[in-house]
Amino acid sequence: QFRGEPWLVAEVMADLSGGFYETGDRATQRDILGRAQRLAREAGLPEQLALVDCLRVYSFAYDDVFDSARADLAEAKGAMARSRQLPGEVSRSCLDAEGQLLVEEGHPDSAVPLLRRAVAQVESDSGVLDVGVTDRSQLLNDLAQALRADGQPRAASYYQRQVYVHMDSSGYGQTVLLPNVASYLIGTLNELGEYAQVESTAAALVAEEESVWGRGHPVTTIGFLLGLSHLRLGAVDSAQVWIARAMRDTTADAGGTSWWVPQAMAELRLEQHRPAEAPAWIRRMPHVGVRSSMRVALLQARVRWELHDSASALASLEAAIHQYADSGPPHEADFTLMRLADAEWRLAAGEP
């Protein structure tokens, strides 16, 4: 019907593709964006082409398809240079996409300035109709994730709190978006060691969910994070209740939580002084990247320590510390925990 207005068709297809991104079907999302991309090229529409390209960059970056992301980003920059009046939405989208690509490629320090520019733009355009609550929140959350990846969790938590409060006050309290936003904030607070705040934030969300849906029906992710905070605070029995509840959830909502359950269960068994049961959970932990490997190494050493094999525990832990010493920044939380455990065990062994 609107083939005579290709700019409109391209923009509608870009909007439509977002629904597939939200459901996790990024292949279909990129297929639709690819059609919009070809249409914008053929019709000579630089603004629409840049927008579509940058949405593809964001999607490819999520799946670590860096070559395709870089190719689309280069085309987007060329299209933006040809535009006579670049819309704010396109500029923000491309700054955000390039920032996310840099984060995924391991360069969060380069991403932070780009994302700060995008946030500054959205703040200055806050009175414009095309700046929605979720658009602003997405940019703030992406900036926070870049700051966290850059070893600045305190700064990240500042923006994550803004997002959480903004979403809650804008009517998203009874949607899946608020628990999703809260999970980012809780992850950062965990990294900062602020477990009491994690507990209070998660408990408030659980109470809100149960007031609407009934007792025993909070969002699985939040219930799991509440259990994890109890574990960190030493409340082992209540931790087991919440973690076990998360394990019983086989719905799609539990997908993200299932990634962390084996580590939580291994830690729980160690805190319960049942080290013989921890290795089975450690073997189920995902081995993706250096962080995962460091967590596995620490837990394996803790099992040996709990089994009173202190010499083997120290030897394996210190071998892992040497192995991963050059694998990441010195402020990496998992690496810090390994060094702290090493120091505690050396003290326990009478070697101050």
Side-chain angles (χ1 to χ4, degrees), residues 76-116:
K77 288 184 174 181
M80 287 190 288
R82 295 193 303 273
S83 174
R84 294 180 179 178
Q85 188 174 3
L86 190 68
E89 176 194 6
V90 177
S91 176
R92 292 192 300 271
S93 179
C94 288
L95 286 170
D96 191 20
E98 186 173 6
Q100 290 308 297
L101 176 57
L102 287 166
V103 169
E104 295 302 324
E105 288 180 324
H107 306 292
D109 55 328
S110 300
V112 168
L114 295 177
L115 292 165
R116 286 195 187 278

